[in-house]
Amino acid sequence: MLVFLSKHSSILLIAAAFIGFAFPKLSTLALPFLPYVLFTLMLFTLMGMNQKALVKAIFDSGAWVYAFVHCGVTTVIVTLMGIAFDASTELLIAATAVCATGTLFATPAIVRSVGFEPLKAMAFTITSTLMMPIALYINLAILSSDEFSLDLQDYCLRLFVFIFGPMVFSYAVHKLVPGERLARIHGKLAQFTIILVFSFPFGLTGQYRWLWDSDRPFAITMLFIAFAICILFFAIGLVLYWHKGRSEAYVAAITSGNRNVLLTYSVAGAFLGPLYLPLVGALQLPIYMQPVLVKFFLKKDGKRMAQA
């Protein structure tokens, strides 16, 4: 059963989004447990990585250049587009908060499920998360008319818990457990990793369902906006990294499209406005369609190269 779920995880992630939409009350009940899932997901993912290689990747200047693109460049583009289309302040705040958001901690697991090495995605995830409070503060300072304050103490605590905590624990495991035995253990845990990701689309789409029930025309508009944002993020990562090779370009594109919106909400709270959670819920479908589309394009490219 676990092998089947892992093999078809891309389709099942989309199914989880629809299930969360269909059962909004259950989705809302799952929402408070998602931070615990994040920790477990990070730990399982890091246990399968070479810690020295990961630290080296984090200190690579290229990872920080990516983080600037991930948080800064996307914010500028989305803001300009929002102004051009006369978007409301509430919608701009919600959209730019998504832009400032670091990469979803589940991204390395998603990247692995597509068939790529997750180490680069993990480095991008950590650097973009570290840059998030700066980008978020600037965005809110420019767009918010009310006084606001980011709970940086809470953010730093979560940063330690979700990143440094799993890294330290994983490092200890690598030191104490023989490599061959650890590889066998992680082979089993890796099957659970992608399953944990199912909780994210399920636990967040219920927030979009409440908007759907109260204002369907606007909810449909919000869904189109979510698709546009996600496509834009994906395209930016793909185009800017295409010169480094197809593999790295797809990793950057997937990483750019996945956003850890739950952590952003925990840090900024009500200052994100009333449209943030509905937008986050609407984003779940396009976000988790990415692995399916990437697999399709890779398969198509593979056939084309075989015929050439």
Side-chain angles (χ1 to χ4, degrees), residues 96-227:
T96 55
V98 173
C99 293
T101 297
T103 300
L104 184 68
F105 290 153
T107 300
I110 296 174
V111 167
R112 182 190 285 113
S113 75
V114 176
F116 294 122
E117 171 58 43
L119 180 62
K120 182 72 73 172
M122 179 60 71
F124 288 168
T125 297
I126 294 176
T127 55
S128 62
T129 302
L130 290 169
M131 189 171 285
M132 185 192 80
I134 300 173
L136 190 59
Y137 184 91
I138 294 173
N139 293 352
L140 290 175
I142 294 173
L143 296 173
S144 179
S145 58
D146 301 324
E147 293 184 359
F148 70 95
S149 60
L150 297 181
D151 191 347
L152 294 179
Q153 182 177 358
D154 181 64
Y155 175 80
C156 291
L157 177 61
R158 289 174 178 273
L159 193 65
F160 178 82
V161 170
F162 291 123
I163 295 182
F164 298 112
M167 286 183 69
V168 171
F169 190 91
S170 178
Y171 178 80
V173 171
H174 275 270
K175 285 292 185 181
L176 297 174
V177 181
E180 184 177 341
R181 184 179 180 185
L182 181 60
R184 291 197 304 269
I185 295 173
H186 184 264
K188 296 295 184 182
L189 292 177
Q191 298 179 20
F192 289 94
T193 303
I194 193 64
I195 296 174
L196 292 175
V197 184
F198 297 154
S199 62
F200 291 97
F202 173 76
L204 291 170
T205 49
Q207 303 302 311
Y208 174 68
R209 174 60 186 272
W210 302 125
L211 178 64
W212 179 273
D213 291 340
S214 62
D215 190 348
R216 188 159 302 180
F218 183 62
I220 294 174
T221 301
M222 186 72 79
L223 184 61
F224 278 109
I225 293 173
F227 267 93

Side-chain angles (χ1 to χ4, degrees), residues 1 10 23 25 71 77 91 97 105 129 162 188 192 194 200 210 224 230 234 271 281 291:
M1 177 62 74
S10 298
F23 301 97
K25 291 184 179 180
C71 298
I77 294 175
L91 183 56
F105 290 153
T129 302
F162 291 123
K188 296 295 184 182
F192 289 94
I194 193 64
F200 291 97
W210 302 125
F224 278 109
C230 201
F234 188 92
F271 294 109

